[in-house]
Amino acid sequence: MSALGSSRSGFDAIKNLYEEKRTFTGRVVFAAILCLLMIGLIAARLIDLQLVRHDYYSTRADDNRMRLTPIAPVRGLIYDRNGTLLAQNLPSFVLDITPERVRNLNDTLERLKAYVRLSDQDIARFKERMRKGPRYRSVTLRSNLTPEEVARYQLNRFDFEGVEVNAGLVRDYPLGESAAHVVGYVGGISEADYAKLEAADYEGLSQIGKAGVERSHEDLLRGAPGTKIVEANAAGRPLRELESRPGSSGQNLYMSLDAQLQLVAEKALGDLDGAVVAIDPRNGEILALVSKPGYDPKLFVEGIDAASYRGLLEDKSRPLYNRALLGTYPPGSTIKPFMATAALNFKTVTPDTAIYCSGSMTLPGNSRKYRCHKRQGHGSVNLDSAIAKSCDIYFYQAAMNLGIDRIDEILGQFGFGKPTGVDVPNEKGGLLPSKEWKRRVYKQVWFPGETLSLGIGQGYLTTTPLQLAQGTARLAMRGLGFKPHVLHAIADQATGAISGVAPEALPALTGQSTDLQERVIHAMQLVTMFPGGTAYRAFKDAPYSSAGKTGTAQVVGLKQDEKVAPTFDSTPKHLRDHALFIAFAPVDAPRIAIAVIAEHAGHGGSVAAPVARQIMDQYLLGKVLYDADPAATAAAAAAAVADPALEAEEGVPADDEEPPPATPPPAATPR
Amino acid sequence: MNTSVISRAPNQSFSLADRLIRVHIDLWLLLLLLVLGVVGLLVQYSASGHSMAVVMNQAERLGIGFAVMVVAAQAPPEFYRAAAPWLYGFGVVMLFAVLLLGDHAKGAQRWLDLGVLRFQPSEILKLAMPMAVAAWLHTRSLPPKLSTILITLAIIGGPTVLIAMQPDLGTAMLVLAAGVLALYFGGLGIRWILAVIVAMAAAAPLLWLKLHDYQKNRVLTFLDPERDPLGTGYHITQSKIAIGSGGLFGKGWLAGTQAKLDFLPESHTDFIFAVYSEELGLLGEAVLMALYAAIVGRGLYIALRGQDSFQRLLAGSLAMTFFIYVFINMGMVIGLLPVVGVPLPLVSFGGTSAVTLLAGFGMLMSVYTHRKLLSN
């Protein structure tokens, strides 16, 4: 219709007004219809978005704005068996900085130094953490502010935009160094830790158990993180809390340790390097576990600085090294009761078999001399006197008669040569050599002479203090045994219910007659209770019965041609002998079994036995504040009672011919 | 209608509408625009995160706009017809000036700094274009013959190309639409319209090559918003989330989360419709849509009442351009059209476009209120 206009070319001035108006009206109507169509198009799209796909977009909108923020659980406390705190969470004032709110960071840090102690270390660590996180998240600059620092800061806080003092919890170990090797410590979660753990369990947590019980019972102590749903903006900054689901606190743990006993044991060891393990033989609970020197676990909680850590690592006395579990020492003469048990078991000796000790012996076809520590010899010795005086010749003979295979069988049953499975991380199994082992490692056959060395706890044989204590506990229990452990009871923080940890019984020694075991124990009693025993002086006048065995383990062998052993004082410290002692008490109803090792300290009888005496005095006589524990011990005690005591009085006769004053000084036991 | 006006004695007025006509104001347009402005301010308040400063700023601009509208309505249509070539010429000169001396803002050269005043000459063309086309066609017999059409296309094409070169595709499209709509209302043959559509389709690949990267991205993103959800697709994805999550009734005024929490970019300018939709839902949109439809409808009605070609074509073009504005903005916010920088008229934050638009409504009022009693 509109194209008609072109026919009137040349007459533009003459306009057909009516036609124009009509055309225009048509155009307006058409435009209006077009508008309605377009509105319809938009409406259709809006209906699709807002009605049909509303749920989908609602979810996307919520996903946009909602953020899950973890709530860190409060870590469980660690107590000793009597409720003394070993690990706790202390409120601590921390100084936090929110980087995005600070205008000039370096200037702020510099000015803060006037009020708060800040080391370069603190600042370096802060900057490191700051780089990792978003700028709106606050980063801790310092923890454990003193009240004075908090007060000084608060007075001037108006000068510090973006800096604030917050309250937090910091792990603390009240006994400090004393129980560090058992309790352990927590520290920052490392990359290696992250690779192993379930990330969901550590939401909001920055620390993890790194050593000791803190590590082995991490799962009990940690608790479960909660979550908080917060609304966050597009930059991720949380703006308000929408919902909070609290997690659960970790469980409180009661250790079998007796803190007082632990302190006494530590003190008894004095300045010596070494280890003490005390076990309740009735259930395998570890009562004290000392490894000296120790370290301060607090150093690790805040993050140890490189220099201090290097210092600890390079310290010659190795304070971080848990000697009780990791130290593998030749047991020396402390192996003799176990060896005697084996010999009696296989009837290679009878309790009354007498052997003549001339001070040395040789094997047929070999000129090598195997010496007794007593050069002039003990004369005729039987089981009692051989143990009481620690005659080496007797045990050379006993070992030779037994042979390596039978020795392995019995010592293996006592737990030597393999880890005990205690619930403290990092434990060594020591070494119980065998023919097979020798072949595998040295590609050599087993020599009879090596069996002889084994008889007096030298040679390849090594044990940890914990293994020695466990073995002693089994001797005390007349062959019964329990897996050593430190977890005594678990207290649920939510319900308050306390559940004891049942002892785990180990298979009893095979083929041991009670009679013969009592004979070994009787001999051990002579060591501590009768004049002439190697630990008699240490246990003199003890009001309880006890049984023990001293040991002096050679660090360096004496050369064959060396006639006279070097004197103790003339030997460099790191070459001096280790002093060992094992004991249990009371004899008829044992409640404690102890192994003591003092490195490079000389004689078991004079150095290690007094340590054990002090521990036993404390445990059996001291101001013991608790009574034996719930169900767990009852069951174990019942098992122990099944084997009624031997007559302590009856064993009195001192069948020791010559009562030498405590063991002669230089005790280098040759191979 | 004419008869009623004739029958009325000069000093006898019975209604507010009649009284306002005498001061050259159309009551209906005024009311609808005021309501729209108020709605805009309310959404501004929410979208800006409860900023009274933003609201006052926008209110001030709207105030200026309404003042301009009232002043513009006072001049008779003949004035605009006479002024059309001058304003058009001035606008084109300014466009050249912008290309030579203009400021850069957001990678495009749109602003001209006159020392005291910074303005976008392309805004002038939004008004000058329909005026010029209408004034030119007014002198020809309609429907236009070929030579007229070609000259008209030249009038339209020049400034459009200049604006597109800035580059400001959105404004170029609006200016182009204003000119083409005037030509359409002038009676451009249907064959021509089809031919233009075919030509545009054919030119699309060529145009594609001429587009800047960011413009290409917008088109690609429009075709598949999830292609680049964090980059160019982010706007449209977040906008759809905002609208879709609003549902039938919306989350309530001030209760939208997408804009408040900064997920939705440009929330108080080009994407304000998404904020409105999130908070007021489909029902709220229906109200807004009705408001816009009523304004466009009133504009088309005024166009029908125009007393000569210039008045009709100008009014028709202004009314429909306003609608195109709304359609392009909503279309891009809901993901029907590529993202081009076109604000939602009188609701989006921004003074220049509001003043220009209201000046256009001033002309519409002028057309309606300056009718001679005895026309035809």
Side-chain angles (χ1 to χ4, degrees):
Chain A
M1 47 165 185
S2 48
L4 289 175
S6 54
S7 64
R8 263 183 242 156
S9 53
F11 294 95
D12 275 357
I14 305 162
K15 301 172 72 163
N16 182 342
L17 296 178
Y18 175 74
E19 176 69 15
E20 276 181 27
K21 185 85 196 287
R22 202 173 66 87
T23 307
F24 182 75
T25 306
R27 292 291 158 117
V28 168
V29 170
F30 185 70
I33 292 170
L34 209 63
C35 287
L36 291 178
L37 283 176
M38 288 160 96
I39 288 173
L41 197 63
I42 288 175
R45 174 71 166 193
L46 287 171
I47 287 169
D48 177 48
L49 289 175
Q50 295 188 297
L51 298 185
V52 181
R53 289 195 279 164
H54 170 62
D55 290 343
Y56 167 73
Y57 285 115
S58 283
T59 311
R60 297 244 350 223
D62 284 345
D63 286 351
N64 263 351
R65 74 193 174 101
M66 289 180 183
R67 294 272 186 289
L68 292 182
T69 304
I71 308 171
V74 176
R75 197 173 176 85
L77 307 178
I78 302 178
Y79 297 99
D80 84 337
R81 62 192 304 127
N82 305 316
T84 305
L85 266 173
L86 301 179
Q88 61 181 339
N89 305 309
L90 284 187
S92 146
F93 287 109
V94 293
L95 195 64
D96 289 337
I97 295 188
T98 311
E100 75 167 8
R101 288 174 53 204
V102 177
R103 230 168 289 124
N104 184 337
L105 187 67
N106 286 330
D107 173 63
T108 300
L109 292 176
E110 208 49 50
R111 284 187 297 124
L112 270 174
K113 282 183 182 169
Y115 310 107
V116 174
R117 182 175 54 79
L118 281 183
S119 66
D120 291 347
Q121 187 77 32
D122 292 326
I123 291 173
R125 200 166 49 202
F126 165 77
K127 287 189 170 171
E128 175 74 25
R129 285 190 208 155
M130 190 184 77
R131 260 193 302 279
K132 286 180 187 163
R135 290 183 54 76
Y136 55 79
R137 185 169 298 161
S138 69
V139 179
T140 299
L141 175 61
R142 255 222 38 215
S143 44
N144 287 328
L145 297 182
T146 64
E148 291 77 27
E149 285 175 317
V150 173
R152 274 205 301 265
Y153 169 76
Q154 293 292 12
L155 282 177
N156 299 282
R157 72 196 145 102
F158 305 105
D159 297 340
F160 295 99
E161 172 77 17
V163 181
E164 53 190 10
V165 168
N166 288 315
L169 290 176
V170 156
R171 198 68 163 170
D172 177 68
Y173 302 100
L175 294 194
E177 202 171 307
S178 292
H181 283 295
V182 194
V183 175
Y185 53 84
V186 296
I189 306 176
S190 68
E191 293 291 322
D193 293 328
Y194 270 122
K196 280 178 273 174
L197 53 79
E198 196 69 47
D201 295 340
Y202 286 86
E203 292 285 350
L205 287 172
S206 60
Q207 295 196 314
I208 187 172
K210 289 281 191 185
V213 167
E214 290 274 32
R215 178 165 148 204
S216 59
H217 293 300
E218 166 75 15
D219 289 346
L220 294 172
L221 289 165
R222 184 182 57 243
T227 45
K228 196 161 60 171
I229 300 177
V230 294
E231 187 175 81
N233 67 8
R237 181 205 309 275
L239 299 176
R240 70 190 166 108
E241 189 177 313
L242 299 174
E243 196 189 330
S244 177
R245 287 186 222 122
S248 54
S249 301
Q251 287 168 316
N252 291 344
L253 302 187
Y254 287 84
M255 296 289 100
S256 59
L257 289 189
D258 178 324
Q260 249 175 323
L261 195 66
Q262 177 83 13
L263 290 172
V264 167
E266 201 201 357
K267 194 154 162 269
L269 208 48
D271 293 333
L272 298 172
D273 292 350
V276 176
V277 178
I279 291 187
D280 185 335
R282 294 165 301 175
N283 51 23
E285 290 190 342
I286 293 175
L287 301 168
L289 192 150
V290 174
S291 172
K292 288 201 79 171
Y295 61 91
D296 184 358
K298 280 173 198 148
L299 285 175
F300 292 88
V301 176
E302 270 190 66
I304 190 166
D305 60 273
S308 314
Y309 189 55
R310 207 178 316 117
L312 283 173
L313 281 181
E314 288 171 3
D315 188 328
K316 280 214 182 71
S317 58
R318 305 179 69 188
L320 296 180
Y321 182 72
N322 187 352
R323 288 164 161 79
L325 271 62
L326 290 170
T328 52
Y329 304 88
S333 299
T334 56
I335 204 70
K336 288 173 182 171
F338 305 99
M339 205 57 74
T341 306
L344 292 176
N345 181 52
F346 288 107
K347 304 191 169 40
T348 56
V349 292
T350 71
D352 303 312
T353 307
I355 285 172
Y356 187 77
C357 168
S358 64
S360 69
M361 69 177 280
T362 55
L363 286 175
N366 195 326
S367 63
R368 181 180 173 134
K369 274 190 169 173
Y370 292 87
R371 293 198 183 94
C372 187
H373 65 88
K374 189 171 179 183
R375 290 298 160 105
Q376 63 274 41
H378 288 97
S380 178
V381 287
N382 63 4
L383 177 66
D384 282 342
S385 52
I387 286 183
K389 296 175 180 171
S390 203
C391 173
D392 291 337
I393 301 299
Y394 184 92
F395 284 97
Y396 288 141
Q397 202 72 52
M400 194 171 70
N401 294 345
L402 272 169
I404 175 68
D405 293 338
R406 293 195 283 194
I407 291 174
D408 280 344
E409 184 185 335
I410 299 302
L411 291 192
Q413 286 189 26
F414 273 107
F416 294 108
K418 58 180 182 290
T420 63
V422 69
D423 51 344
V424 177
N426 281 344
E427 183 194 4
K428 278 193 178 161
L431 177 61
L432 178 59
S434 65
K435 286 178 180 164
E436 191 277 324
W437 168 84
K438 181 94 187 285
R439 206 168 29 244
R440 182 159 44 82
V441 177
Y442 286 93
K443 313 261 187 289
Q444 277 180 358
V445 295
W446 183 265
F447 298 119
E450 291 166 340
T451 310
L452 262 58
S453 297
L454 222 53
I456 59 160
Q458 292 288 163
Y460 299 118
L461 180 66
T462 59
T463 65
T464 64
L466 177 61
Q467 283 176 323
L468 272 182
Q470 184 195 17
T472 308
R474 298 202 70 156
L475 282 175
M477 295 299 289
R478 278 75 170 170
L480 295 177
F482 297 91
K483 189 167 154 184
H485 59 276
V486 292
L487 183 59
H488 174 63
I490 301 169
D492 193 290
Q493 279 206 27
T495 62
I498 296 182
S499 48
V501 172
E504 190 181 321
L506 297 171
L509 297 184
T510 57
Q512 298 292 321
S513 80
T514 310
D515 273 2
L516 295 176
Q517 288 185 35
E518 295 299 349
R519 289 309 298 257
V520 175
I521 290 169
H522 175 257
M524 288 173 75
Q525 273 183 275
L526 300 176
V527 173
T528 57
M529 294 176 69
F530 296 93
T534 49
Y536 173 70
R537 285 196 173 172
F539 278 83
K540 203 173 172 202
D541 300 330
Y544 47 84
S545 60
S546 59
K549 182 68 195 83
T550 56
T552 303
Q554 197 180 34
V555 174
V556 179
L558 207 64
K559 290 188 188 71
Q560 273 294 302
D561 52 0
E562 242 175 316
K563 293 286 182 299
V564 181
T567 60
F568 182 76
D569 290 330
S570 68
T571 313
K573 171 146 193 231
H574 68 279
L575 297 179
R576 291 176 195 169
D577 296 338
H578 298 321
L580 295 93
F581 185 67
I582 60 171
F584 64 89
V587 169
D588 47 355
R591 284 169 54 200
I592 184 167
I594 294 178
V596 177
I597 286 181
E599 289 180 2
H600 311 296
H603 273 274
S606 56
V607 178
V611 174
R613 168 76 194 267
Q614 288 179 59
I615 296 169
M616 286 186 171
D617 281 357
Q618 164 66 26
Y619 191 71
L620 299 172
L621 315 171
K623 309 135 211 107
V624 181
L625 301 171
Y626 64 96
D627 217 318
D629 306 285
T633 10
V641 169
D643 186 294
L646 85 162
E647 333 75 292
E649 256 71 352
E650 235 241 281
V652 165
D655 44 350
D656 214 348
E657 306 97 292
E658 26 148 316
T663 0
T669 14
R671 291 189 186 197
Chain B
M1 278 290 274
N2 280 351
T3 48
S4 71
V5 174
I6 294 167
S7 68
R8 205 169 286 156
N11 287 327
Q12 256 181 308
S13 46
F14 303 103
S15 69
L16 178 63
D18 290 339
R19 235 177 288 160
L20 282 173
I21 284 177
R22 289 216 257 143
V23 289
H24 305 292
I25 286 172
D26 177 42
L27 176 66
W28 285 111
L29 268 185
L30 181 67
L31 277 181
L32 290 168
L33 291 170
L34 280 175
V35 170
L36 188 60
V38 170
V39 168
L41 291 178
L42 291 176
V43 191
Q44 283 300 333
Y45 182 68
S46 178
S48 64
H50 307 190
S51 162
M52 265 330 271
V54 166
V55 172
M56 291 317 292
N57 192 335
Q58 178 71 355
E60 199 177 296
R61 290 165 189 221
L62 285 178
I64 294 171
F66 278 100
V68 167
M69 178 180 80
V70 170
V71 169
Q74 305 310 311
E78 290 71 24
F79 167 77
Y80 291 111
R81 197 172 69 209
W86 299 103
L87 190 65
Y88 177 86
F90 175 70
V92 171
V93 169
M94 284 293 125
L95 283 178
F96 275 111
V98 154
L99 282 181
L100 296 175
L101 324 158
D103 275 3
H104 288 259
K106 284 191 185 174
Q109 235 168 347
R110 297 174 188 175
W111 296 86
L112 198 58
D113 199 338
L114 297 183
V116 275
L117 187 66
R118 255 165 65 89
F119 75 113
Q120 293 184 12
S122 55
E123 288 293 325
I124 297 176
L125 266 299
K126 284 182 183 171
L127 297 175
M129 180 62 78
M131 283 165 67
V133 173
W136 157 247
L137 291 179
H138 178 79
T139 63
R140 309 279 100 184
S141 78
L142 295 177
K145 55 182 185 173
L146 182 62
S147 59
T148 310
I149 292 172
L150 291 177
I151 292 170
T152 312
L153 287 179
I155 293 172
I156 298 169
T160 303
V161 169
L162 289 176
I163 295 169
M165 279 167 65
Q166 290 183 356
D168 184 352
L169 218 53
T171 308
M173 280 171 60
L174 290 171
V175 168
L176 176 72
V180 170
L181 281 167
L183 186 55
Y184 158 81
F185 281 120
L188 179 70
I190 296 296
R191 279 176 304 158
W192 273 95
I193 295 173
L194 291 176
V196 167
I197 292 171
V198 171
M200 275 169 62
L206 284 175
L207 187 66
W208 176 257
L209 293 177
K210 282 279 179 192
L211 286 181
H212 287 244
D213 280 346
Y214 82 93
Q215 292 167 329
K216 286 182 184 175
N217 267 334
R218 279 177 177 181
V219 176
L220 286 176
T221 303
F222 159 65
L223 295 174
D224 179 14
E226 308 286 338
R227 184 180 75 106
D228 182 13
L230 293 179
T232 47
Y234 182 79
H235 281 52
I236 195 63
T237 303
Q238 293 302 330
S239 170
K240 279 155 76 176
I241 291 173
I243 296 169
S245 65
L248 181 59
F249 300 104
K251 297 174 184 171
W253 183 56
L254 302 182
T257 57
Q258 284 285 98
K260 195 173 68 186
L261 302 175
D262 304 334
F263 291 104
L264 186 67
E266 313 272 346
S267 62
H268 68 300
T269 55
D270 288 358
F271 278 81
I272 198 156
F273 182 61
V275 180
Y276 182 91
S277 300
E278 184 185 18
E279 298 190 348
L280 300 173
L282 195 58
L283 294 180
E285 290 154 14
V287 170
L288 186 67
M289 209 59 116
L291 207 51
Y292 279 122
I295 291 169
V296 174
R298 182 70 183 171
L300 290 177
Y301 170 76
I302 289 172
L304 283 174
R305 306 297 307 276
Q307 290 183 319
D308 59 28
S309 289
F310 174 75
Q311 293 180 18
R312 285 194 289 264
L313 301 194
L314 176 65
S317 171
L318 287 172
M320 280 305 287
T321 308
F322 183 75
F323 178 78
I324 297 283
Y325 244 109
V326 175
F327 180 77
I328 290 181
N329 177 269
M330 289 188 178
M332 83 186 194
V333 170
I334 63 182
L336 278 182
L337 296 174
V339 175
V340 287
V342 172
L344 186 63
L346 302 182
V347 175
S348 284
F349 185 83
T352 321
S353 81
V355 171
T356 313
L357 278 165
L358 287 169
F361 283 108
M363 290 187 203
L364 273 172
M365 290 184 179
S366 159
V367 167
Y368 187 63
T369 59
H370 286 86
R371 284 168 300 150
K372 309 278 185 302
L373 294 189
L374 289 166
S375 67
N376 283 350

